[in-house]
Amino acid sequence: MAALNELSAQEIGRRLRIARENARVRQADAAQVIGVSRPTLVSIEQGVRRVRIQEIQMLARHYGVSVNGLLRREAVHIDLVPRFRKLRETEDEHTLEAVRLLNDLIKADVELENVLGIQRRRNYPPERGINEGDVTVLGEAHATELREWLGLGQGPISDIFSIVEHGLGIRLYQRRLSSRSRIAGLFTYDENVGACILLNANHPLPRRIQTAAHETGHFYSTRQMPEILEVDERFLSRDERYANAFGRAFVAPAESFTQSFLELKEITGKTTRRLIILLAERYNISRQACVLRLEELGLVKKGTWAWFENNGGITDEHVREVLGGLPERQDSGKADADRLVSHRMSLMAHAAWKRELMSEGQLAELLKVSRVELRGIIDQIELGDRETDDLLKLAE
């Protein structure tokens, strides 16, 4: 933990303000806790008046955080809530849940990287902007540009999550939200932590693929603006219509998608359920997204998906008949989301503990788990490491 005088009054004040806001405590109530007036508390949070150690202890206790967590040199103090709050007139519980989860994930991720000296590589293309022109046309063009910039060619993308996380260097998290949450994904950007995306791991893989592509559109076009994507949003802003067009074009590029459709149709003679199932499977997208993309490209009549829906749909049973079973796609993101702490975060936490850079208590607080749960994570990795000790001897 850094000594109180190692941090500037402005930095301590900023950390106290974020901790108070996260705890949803009013300035007047916080001032009362330490026996000062509200203007004095404002001065403390602005770094004009330096906080005393007794005051910081009382405030930390009231905010439900540790003094160590407030003063630790490597600690990351960010607050995404205000910037997302500007997006909406009303703030519902599911939005708040998703924003707070993303905030906690980024904080833990960045702090562990700082402690371990890990440098995250950013491979950001220039921000393109969408102030002028037809957003659908822009979305198509920009998706093609980014694919070329990444060297993806025109074919289907086998693993969009790796491209987002490792190809572009975006922080990508897949975690489960409440079962009733309609949030599909969040995007935000901060100069200090970079671009970040949260995907709702409750959603099936094809849906998360589409959401990842959608959020990548925001990253490519207007990354300074945070964004929340809900399932079946009715009001679509210019930014959202752009991101939708970008996402569809990114996972199903017009040229190759059209060619694939025409090749299949040459065999089937018409647009059938079988054709849709095979095409969707090839591009790792949902049957609905596949048909809507065909409608968008003018390859089938508008209303084709509605027709399917009104005539029995394209069900999993249809897929079993065509493919001989439901496709067994590897979904490591959902498996990781079912863990208490992701694999990467667990490994970093274990490394920080192993090198005695952070205590179990500090790690438990950072990862929002109990000490017992943290101990379980460490023990599991320790056991695995011991089992591979013989492998190291073999290599010698």
Side-chain angles (χ1 to χ4, degrees):
M1 179 178 73
L4 192 58
N5 58 6
E6 289 182 24
L7 297 170
S8 69
Q10 289 76 19
E11 176 59 22
I12 296 174
R14 189 181 73 86
R15 293 183 179 194
L16 284 169
R17 177 185 58 76
I18 291 173
R20 178 182 56 75
E21 290 175 348
N22 283 337
R24 312 188 85 168
V25 175
R26 297 183 307 161
Q27 286 180 323
D29 295 334
Q32 192 173 15
V33 167
I34 57 174
V36 300
S37 65
R38 181 178 168 279
T40 300
L41 185 97
V42 172
S43 295
I44 290 173
E45 292 188 350
Q46 291 177 341
V48 176
R49 196 276 238 174
R50 196 168 188 90
V51 67
R52 301 184 179 97
I53 186 63
Q54 296 85 356
E55 293 170 337
I56 208 168
Q57 288 170 337
M58 287 189 284
L59 288 173
R61 193 179 309 119
H62 194 66
Y63 298 158
V65 298
S66 68
V67 175
N68 181 285
L70 277 172
L71 299 182
R72 196 162 54 240
R73 190 180 294 106
E74 300 84 359
V76 178
H77 295 263
I78 58 171
D79 186 8
L80 301 179
V81 176
R83 69 180 66 175
F84 278 100
R85 189 174 287 149
K86 292 177 184 175
L87 294 177
R88 302 185 173 204
E89 294 180 358
T90 58
E91 186 178 79
D92 63 76
E93 59 177 307
H94 296 134
T95 300
L96 201 56
E97 175 204 24
V99 173
R100 290 195 183 284
L101 175 60
L102 179 57
N103 198 91
D104 290 343
L105 289 167
I106 295 170
K107 183 177 184 300
D109 200 16
V110 176
E111 182 164 342
L112 286 169
E113 287 178 355
N114 290 346
V115 166
L116 296 170
I118 296 173
Q119 295 288 327
R120 181 177 279 263
R121 172 178 165 271
R122 295 184 188 182
N123 187 30
Y124 295 176
E127 195 174 359
R128 297 292 279 117
I130 56 168
N131 288 334
E132 296 179 355
D134 184 307
V135 287
T136 302
V137 174
L138 282 175
E140 289 274 350
H142 288 176
T144 302
E145 275 181 14
L146 185 58
R147 287 181 67 106
E148 290 176 355
W149 191 80
L150 288 165
L152 296 177
Q154 286 293 311
I157 295 174
S158 60
D159 184 0
I160 190 173
F161 304 133
S162 289
I163 290 167
V164 169
E165 190 167 14
H166 306 301
L168 293 168
I170 297 173
R171 296 182 187 278
L172 177 66
Y173 309 101
Q174 299 192 58
R175 308 303 293 173
R176 291 186 183 276
L177 300 176
S178 300
S179 58
R180 293 183 295 109
S181 177
R182 294 178 57 79
I183 303 291
L186 270 69
F187 168 81
T188 190
Y189 174 82
D190 180 278
E191 184 56 38
N192 294 319
V193 301
C196 311
I197 292 174
L198 171 66
L199 303 180
N200 187 347
N202 288 338
H203 292 175
L205 181 59
R207 172 78 218 193
R208 277 180 285 132
I209 289 173
Q210 201 66 52
T211 302
H214 175 101
E215 303 297 9
T216 303
H218 285 292
F219 162 76
Y220 194 58
S221 61
T222 52
R223 74 185 58 146
Q224 303 295 333
M225 293 290 294
E227 188 268 346
I228 301 171
L229 176 64
E230 288 190 7
V231 176
D232 299 329
E233 281 186 339
R234 292 188 177 180
F235 171 75
L236 294 179
S237 64
R238 180 177 173 83
D239 286 15
E240 288 305 285
R241 285 185 284 118
Y242 165 87
N244 282 342
F246 178 99
R248 291 191 295 266
F250 194 70
V251 296
E255 185 176 336
S256 72
F257 192 71
T258 299
Q259 186 63 32
S260 296
F261 168 76
L262 293 177
E263 286 174 0
L264 287 169
K265 192 175 179 184
E266 189 174 12
I267 300 169
T268 61
K270 57 183 180 180
T271 303
T272 63
R273 286 187 175 85
R274 180 176 296 272
L275 183 155
I276 299 300
I277 290 167
L278 292 173
L279 192 58
E281 175 66 9
R282 182 176 298 179
Y283 282 85
N284 290 317
I285 56 179
S286 68
R287 281 91 79 180
Q288 180 184 20
C290 182
V291 175
L292 294 180
R293 181 63 171 151
L294 291 172
E295 289 185 21
E296 184 176 56
L297 294 173
L299 297 170
V300 298
K301 293 179 180 176
K302 292 286 185 185
T304 297
W305 177 248
W307 184 90
F308 276 120
E309 282 192 310
N310 294 329
N311 290 274
I314 306 178
T315 66
D316 287 350
E317 188 56 37
H318 292 130
V319 175
R320 290 190 188 91
E321 289 173 6
V322 173
L323 302 178
L326 287 175
E328 294 183 3
R329 294 172 178 158
Q330 186 178 4
D331 193 353
S332 58
K334 180 160 286 192
D336 201 40
D338 288 333
R339 291 172 52 85
L340 186 62
V341 177
S342 72
H343 278 294
R344 182 174 185 272
M345 210 84 84
S346 298
L347 286 172
M348 289 199 294
H350 173 260
W353 170 82
K354 190 84 172 177
R355 298 180 203 173
E356 299 182 349
L357 299 170
M358 295 182 74
S359 68
E360 288 185 20
Q362 290 172 334
L363 288 166
E365 181 184 359
L366 183 65
L367 298 175
K368 308 289 184 191
V369 298
S370 70
R371 291 281 291 269
V372 173
E373 291 168 332
L374 190 278
R375 188 67 239 176
I377 293 169
I378 290 175
D379 285 346
Q380 186 182 36
I381 297 175
E382 281 287 290
L383 179 62
D385 285 357
R386 280 198 294 273
E387 289 174 347
T388 56
D389 284 349
D390 287 343
L391 179 63
L392 294 175
K393 292 175 186 174
L394 184 64
E396 290 173 356

